[in-house]
Amino acid sequence: MLWGGDMTEIDTGEGKLYLATVIDLFSRRLLGYAMGAHHDAELVGASLKTASATRGGDVDGVIFHSDRGSEGGFN
């Protein structure tokens, strides 16, 4: 299994909202997402937890790829 992740910033009338997503790179299915007020590793972790739950908790053998973006620093 190969998963990919990305994060995007959405401008709203109430300020910025951040969206982190995880997709299955073979089926292109959205496996997990999380939204929040902060662009941080906690948000990425929440999207990965959702993706794991979507797959029934079975993440053995999953390879996860995400670029570091312009900010970087997510480990």
Side-chain angles (χ1 to χ4, degrees), residues 8-34:
T8 191
E9 178 182 293
I10 302 166
D11 288 318
T12 72
E14 297 180 15
K16 294 183 181 187
L17 178 67
Y18 297 96
L19 171 66
T21 57
V22 177
I23 65 168
D24 181 309
L25 293 176
F26 292 108
S27 69
R28 300 182 125 195
R29 178 181 175 202
L30 177 65
L31 298 175
Y33 70 92

Side-chain angles (χ1 to χ4, degrees), residues 35-59:
M35 294 180 283
H38 302 285
H39 186 255
D40 57 15
E42 185 176 329
L43 186 61
V44 174
S47 68
L48 283 165
K49 285 180 186 175
T50 304
S52 174
T54 299
R55 298 292 299 182
D58 180 18
V59 294

